[in-house]
Amino acid sequence: MTNPLTATLLFGLPFALILAFAAAATIERRRAGVTAPGFFKRNGTPVAIFLIAAVGFWILFLIVLPELYMVDYSFHPKLPQIKRGGPEDQYTLANYRYFLFGSTTSTANWNVTHLNAFWITIFVSVIITIVNFAICYPLAYFMAQVARPPTVLKLMLLLVIPYWINEILRAFAFRILFGSGGLINQALIGLGITHDPIDFLALDVALYAGLTYAYLLIMMFPLYNAIESLDRNQVEAARDLGAPWWHVHLFVVMPFAKPGIASGATLVFMLCAGSLAAPLILGGPKTLWFTPIVYDRFFQAFNWPQGSAYAIILLLACMVFVMAVMRLFRVSLSEIAR
């Protein structure tokens, strides 16, 4: 920790926010005239204290404080540990300037490589999120509104069982599948579609397919939970009134499932944009993905302040996406988190 003021902000700000949110919730509860039993009465004092302590420890010490420390770290120069806190350790925007211009001093040229990687990561993550929704929505609707319970159970098992395998092993399986001598190339050559193997790795086809597959369940379960609670009578009423199938889905099912869609889209986008294993394993020699660059800042260049700045930039992009999804679907953060 560089100075007492930084320590005070890092440790005092989370507790101040907790008190502010608690006060706001109490005021809202009183204004609404809620008379239901409170948290302590519903769960009992020992259980309530344990839940608050466990959740508070998890949020504060494993999420909030590390993120705040990383924010503080991103505004410091790269210095040997012995010089940390010394006269050279001053707050600076050099790490963020490097992201934009590729230099801590000059602003003559843009940092094309890192900026392209960042925007490609964001754009592809959005596309993969949309593709995942297009794949998962029909299956989620079938399981939630059409299929019988035994069929739903079988489909759930078929969806979950492949994910018992570690994500890294699944990525290597995709690398073998899309390799020059892999099953897909052999099938294409055997069918006479192509005479030479296609380099799916260099074209990033394997990477995008692997990322799409990796987070299908993350989109599936929020959609299923949201659609499953929809009253079937609403769907039947729309059909009885003559609505075509696309009208039923667009104006009945999807508006009801907005919290599930927003939750799945948020999770898929953040996990896709922050993925590291898939780009490292499935990426080609010219693949541009932002998380390997962040990893390189930390563990190859050993420039932790710069790595922190890059990580904060990616985090801010994810936050902007979450706010855009909330505004698009007109849902609150609490509805997404359910």
Side-chain angles (χ1 to χ4, degrees):
M1 208 65 66
T2 56
N3 55 62
L5 178 60
T6 301
T8 302
L9 288 175
L10 289 180
F11 288 97
L13 183 61
F15 291 101
L17 290 175
I18 290 173
L19 293 175
F21 281 121
T26 302
I27 294 172
E28 183 179 355
R29 182 184 179 89
R30 289 179 178 177
R31 286 179 177 176
V34 178
T35 58
F39 181 74
F40 282 86
K41 290 184 179 180
R42 291 199 309 269
N43 298 282
T45 301
V47 175
I49 292 175
F50 170 76
L51 290 175
I52 292 174
V55 174
F57 176 84
W58 176 270
I59 294 176
L60 287 177
F61 293 97
L62 299 180
I63 300 177
V64 176
L65 289 177
E67 293 289 346
L68 290 176
Y69 187 79
M70 188 167 63
V71 171
D72 175 72
Y73 210 68
S74 69
F75 290 102
H76 289 274
K78 179 185 178 183
L79 294 172
Q81 188 63 33
I82 193 173
K83 294 184 179 181
R84 290 279 293 161
E88 299 179 31
D89 192 7
Q90 303 293 329
Y91 284 106
T92 177
L93 293 173
N95 298 313
Y96 294 93
R97 189 182 299 116
Y98 188 90
F99 169 74
L100 293 174
F101 303 107
S103 172
T104 58
T105 56
S106 174
T107 59
N109 299 300
W110 294 102
N111 189 359
V112 177
T113 301
H114 291 183
L115 289 173
N116 284 346
F118 175 77
W119 291 116
I120 288 173
T121 300
I122 299 301
F123 175 76
V124 172
S125 297
V126 172
I127 297 301
I128 289 175
T129 301
I130 296 172
V131 171
N132 270 14
F133 171 74
I135 294 173
C136 293
Y137 176 81
L139 183 57
Y141 178 81
F142 174 79
M143 293 171 59
Q145 294 289 326
V146 179
R148 296 175 178 270
T151 305
V152 173
L153 179 60
K154 293 175 183 177
L155 290 174
M156 284 287 187
L157 287 175
L158 290 175
L159 287 170
V160 172
I161 287 176
Y163 288 84
W164 290 356
I165 302 173
N166 184 274
E167 180 182 357
I168 297 177
L169 295 180
R170 294 201 307 269
F172 275 112
F174 265 79
R175 186 177 182 89
I176 295 173
L177 186 66
F178 284 93
S180 299
L183 178 63
I184 294 178
N185 268 312
Q186 290 182 4
L188 292 175
I189 294 174
L191 294 172
I193 298 176
T194 179
H195 297 289
D196 299 315
I198 301 173
D199 194 350
F200 290 110
L201 297 176
L203 295 174
D204 290 333
V205 175
L207 172 60
Y208 300 155
L211 288 172
T212 301
Y213 171 76
Y215 305 118
L216 278 176
L217 287 188
I218 306 298
M219 177 67 77
M220 172 63 68
F221 286 126
L223 282 176
Y224 172 77
N225 289 334
I227 299 174
E228 197 266 340
S229 61
L230 173 64
D231 188 354
R232 289 177 172 81
N233 292 327
Q234 296 186 31
V235 177
E236 294 299 329
R239 290 173 177 168
D240 292 341
L241 291 172
W245 65 269
W246 63 268
H247 197 115
V248 173
H249 288 281
L250 189 61
F251 296 105
V252 178
V253 181
M254 289 185 185
F256 182 85
K258 283 193 298 183
I261 298 173
S263 177
T266 299
L267 292 172
V268 170
F269 174 84
M270 291 193 298
L271 290 173
C272 186
S275 176
L276 179 62
L280 289 177
I281 296 172
L282 297 174
K286 296 183 179 180
T287 297
L288 286 177
W289 202 259
F290 196 63
T291 43
I293 295 176
V294 179
Y295 178 86
D296 177 74
R297 301 296 97 187
F298 279 108
F299 299 108
Q300 298 296 327
F302 295 102
N303 193 337
W304 285 54
Q306 197 173 96
S308 299
Y310 277 41
I312 293 299
I313 291 169
L314 186 59
L315 177 62
L316 291 175
C318 292
M319 293 175 62
V320 170
F321 180 83
V322 172
M323 291 187 289
V325 168
M326 291 170 56
R327 186 174 181 84
L328 176 64
F329 292 100
R330 297 181 181 178
V331 297
S332 64
L333 192 59
S334 61
E335 290 177 303
I336 293 178
R338 284 177 190 170

